[in-house]
Amino acid sequence: MPVPSFGARSKRKTHAQDENAASSRIPVKSPTASAFTAFTSIAPRSPTRSSPSKRTAAERSSVPFPKSPAPAVVTPLLVDARGRVNAGQDESPRLGRRPRPSNATKTAKSKDAKSKTASATPPSLWQSLLGSGKGVIAHTFDRDLLQGPATPYCATMVTPQMLLEGMNAPDVAYHAAAAVKLAIDNRPKGRWDLERLRSAAMEYYLVALGAELMDDVAGPHFTFVDPRSHDDTREMVGQALRLMRLFARQGYRRDRIVISIPATEAGVQAAMVLEQRYGVRTNLLFVSGPTHAAICAEAGASFVMFSYTAVHHGIGQRNSNNPFARVVEALIPTTTRLADEAIERTAEHLKQAKLQSVVLLTGVPDITEAQRLKGFDSVILDGSQSQKAKVPLSNTPPTRTAAPTQGSPGKGRAREAQFASTYLSSPGGAFLSAISAETREVTQATLAKGLQGQMAHMKGACDEMLEYLLVQAELAHLDLETLESLYEDDINEQFKISALQRAGISVVQEKPIRYDNVGFRMICSLWDRPEAL
């Protein structure tokens, strides 16, 4: 019979250890049955080495002892409003007895423990988020990220900023040109209303970008209404329904589309109409805290979104009338703490009130802040943030801010959120006049900060779209000679470069040539001279 191997420390040379141990043994009272059950239900105790448990072969499990805990797997699909984990994923191992490893395995593990710990690669932020049950929403056109296995997005999102960036990106700008042509082809005969054509082209462009993103990521897609209409309920509802019809023509189901709307008084009313009357899922933007989020959730919004930058700004602009709160806040980094508290208390209130709105987070200046924050369900990351989130974390997570005190303004706003349904039923949906002065000030400042950036990007995108329209309008009414005069400098520069290159002379381009303009392509192509092809 082979002698079991033990480490050098486990060898016994005398019986002195047993004698000393016997004399020092003190009887300990056994825990009660309820206490023992409470502890063993969390982590069952394994038998000690000195008294091994005897089990038959039939009682032993065939499941191998795991060497390390398996990371949680989150599928890239939001299943419902609260949980985004696919119902078909593997169940976690049940608590119970597991077969113990042999002595040889234990010895090998003890010898390699330090080397394994030293060589273990720390998880990335992406893995950390997925492991905690949070989703990542794509805010990028990068196909490598959208299709890459290392970046499993759960949804996609288009914003006014992306519309403007796409018009200056060659691999995306063709969608804008195609949208302009489609708007011109579908216009009433003989009418050239540039404003109506631009609005139609922007909607076609928005749907085309959404369709491309949905082809890469199997999950919901967040589109938006024009933020410049944030005070017009009827206009926001009408545009949302037009977008839904355009997506339906492309073959996308209604449940895959989410309409993002600013969480203004008119925006909340628009979300209520879309959710309750038309069954359109909505995402209310730039929520400022528990009271504002509770009002949006009571209106039926499927999602509420915090912009961390906007919340941080809104809280910084507050004017607290509580002198005790000012004293407390003077001792702590107030803006950061209260911004974190607003997000976390919102999640707590929605859970307690059994409201089904999902909490989204965007505008995080440092992606590691997403580790510290606990009150959101999914985070929106752009291309650069997604690249950083794939890299293993090199430093410890940011420490959490101090816990809220009894005099914290955030706690008062959380109590105020209990009356959200009352505020929502105000005449005309004017909930801002019904909430407290401090909460109203934070809400207005947060909305103003978020809308400022979105409206500026939307105006830039519309200006770019108007340039596309003007070019198409000119091409529709210009003869060939007039068109050539518009591109005379470009054509001469191109001919000069071509002649020097044929002579074998290196060329330095002196003037920019508008290669991508439709007019230049029409002049330089040979479509009217097939004999030269």
Side-chain angles (χ1 to χ4, degrees):
M1 177 177 180
V3 179
S5 60
F6 296 97
R9 293 184 179 180
S10 64
K11 293 182 179 179
R12 300 171 51 188
K13 296 181 180 180
T14 66
H15 296 280
Q17 297 176 357
D18 286 349
E19 294 174 359
N20 295 336
S23 62
S24 63
R25 289 173 186 154
I26 300 175
V28 180
K29 183 179 180 181
S30 301
T32 61
S34 60
F36 182 78
T37 304
F39 281 96
T40 54
S41 63
I42 299 175
R45 298 184 180 182
S46 60
T48 60
R49 183 188 293 251
S50 59
S51 59
S53 61
K54 296 181 180 181
R55 295 176 296 170
T56 64
E59 294 175 341
R60 295 179 186 142
S61 173
S62 61
V63 180
F65 189 84
K67 295 184 179 180
S68 61
V73 178
V74 178
T75 59
L77 177 64
L78 293 175
V79 177
D80 51 27
R82 292 301 298 173
R84 280 151 310 285
V85 182
N86 193 296
Q89 75 174 39
D90 296 337
E91 295 182 357
S92 57
R94 297 182 179 178
L95 294 176
R97 295 184 176 229
R98 295 177 297 180
R100 294 180 297 144
S102 63
N103 291 331
T105 305
K106 290 182 178 180
T107 304
K109 286 184 178 181
S110 62
K111 288 181 179 180
D112 297 339
K114 293 183 179 180
S115 60
K116 287 182 178 180
T117 304
S119 61
T121 303
S124 64
L125 175 62
W126 204 298
Q127 294 170 336
S128 177
L129 290 172
L130 295 183
S132 59
K134 302 182 185 301
V136 180
I137 299 176
H139 183 252
T140 179
F141 292 124
D142 192 329
R143 303 296 294 275
D144 294 334
L145 290 173
L146 294 171
Q147 299 177 350
T151 51
Y153 294 106
C154 67
T156 55
M157 176 175 286
V158 171
T159 62
Q161 178 183 355
M162 293 180 68
L163 290 189
L164 182 57
E165 292 175 352
M167 289 182 174
N168 298 316
D171 54 342
V172 182
Y174 72 91
H175 285 300
V180 167
K181 186 177 184 306
L182 188 60
I184 292 174
D185 292 343
N186 294 335
R187 78 186 191 281
K189 293 183 178 180
R191 296 184 59 183
W192 279 88
D193 187 340
L194 291 180
E195 189 59 35
R196 295 175 68 92
L197 287 173
R198 179 170 61 178
S199 298
M202 290 298 294
E203 293 177 2
Y204 291 140
Y205 178 44
L206 191 57
V207 171
L209 295 181
E212 182 171 339
L213 293 176
M214 282 191 287
D215 289 343
D216 292 332
V217 177
H221 173 68
F222 291 80
T223 188
F224 65 91
V225 297
D226 192 334
R228 296 173 298 177
S229 304
H230 59 86
D231 286 333
D232 191 338
T233 300
R234 178 175 295 181
E235 175 61 28
M236 288 187 285
V237 171
Q239 185 179 5
L241 295 178
R242 289 195 300 271
L243 291 174
M244 295 299 294
R245 286 193 291 268
L246 291 176
F247 277 112
R249 292 175 187 173
Q250 298 290 329
Y252 295 100
R253 303 189 312 271
R254 178 180 292 263
D255 58 352
R256 287 198 66 183
I257 311 301
V258 182
I259 306 295
S260 295
I261 302 172
T264 58
E265 291 178 336
V268 172
Q269 293 297 313
M272 185 185 301
V273 172
L274 290 170
E275 292 272 2
Q276 298 179 5
R277 186 180 301 175
Y278 298 102
V280 176
R281 295 201 294 172
T282 58
N283 171 34
L284 285 173
L285 307 174
F286 312 124
V287 174
S288 60
T291 303
H292 195 188
I295 292 172
C296 297
E298 289 285 354
S302 300
F303 301 85
V304 293
M305 192 186 80
F306 282 94
S307 170
Y308 191 83
T309 303
V311 174
H312 200 276
H313 171 81
I315 292 176
Q317 300 297 315
R318 73 192 184 286
N319 182 20
S320 177
N321 296 319
N322 186 351
F324 175 72
R326 291 188 177 186
V327 174
V328 173
E329 293 168 11
L331 304 176
I332 306 172
T334 60
T335 305
T336 300
R337 178 178 65 80
L338 291 177
D340 298 351
E341 184 181 337
I343 298 172
E344 295 180 2
R345 285 199 180 278
T346 295
E348 293 174 3
H349 175 76
L350 294 180
K351 182 178 181 181
Q352 292 174 0
K354 297 182 180 180
L355 297 172
Q356 300 300 314
S357 298
V358 177
V359 179
L360 307 181
L361 178 66
T362 187
V364 181
D366 185 355
I367 59 172
T368 56
E369 296 289 329
Q371 279 188 296
R372 176 171 53 79
L373 294 169
K374 303 296 181 183
F376 65 93
D377 298 302
S378 293
V379 62
I380 296 101
L381 298 182
D382 59 24
S384 61
Q385 290 175 327
S386 298
Q387 293 286 1
K388 294 177 182 178
K390 295 192 304 179
V391 180
L393 297 170
S394 57
N395 49 9
T396 57
T399 57
R400 291 179 55 77
T401 54
T405 60
Q406 294 296 327
S408 171
K411 191 161 187 175
R413 286 192 287 271
R415 289 192 295 266
E416 187 181 14
Q418 301 173 5
F419 307 99
S421 58
T422 304
Y423 303 143
L424 186 62
S425 60
S426 300
F431 61 84
L432 287 175
S433 60
I435 60 181
S436 66
E438 183 185 353
T439 304
R440 177 169 60 251
E441 184 178 0
V442 173
T443 301
Q444 290 174 335
T446 302
L447 284 168
K449 179 65 175 178
L451 286 170
Q452 179 184 6
Q454 280 211 342
M455 289 192 296
H457 289 130
M458 194 67 187
K459 182 180 182 303
C462 288
D463 290 344
E464 292 282 344
M465 187 64 74
L466 183 59
E467 292 294 329
Y468 279 90
L469 274 170
L470 291 175
V471 170
Q472 293 292 335
E474 290 176 356
L475 294 178
H477 296 87
L478 295 179
D479 55 18
L480 185 58
E481 293 182 359
T482 307
L483 186 62
E484 287 179 349
S485 65
L486 293 175
Y487 293 93
E488 183 177 0
D489 294 339
D490 303 80
I491 296 171
N492 293 336
E493 183 70 13
Q494 175 62 29
F495 284 165
K496 183 182 72 173
I497 292 174
S498 300
L500 293 175
Q501 287 178 344
R502 284 195 298 268
I505 303 174
S506 59
V507 183
V508 177
Q509 184 173 328
E510 298 178 357
K511 299 179 181 179
I513 301 175
R514 293 172 287 180
Y515 290 109
D516 296 332
N517 283 29
V518 178
F520 179 83
R521 293 181 181 180
M522 291 181 63
I523 296 170
C524 295
S525 66
L526 301 177
W527 61 272
D528 59 337
R529 289 178 292 166
E531 68 278 1
L533 296 176

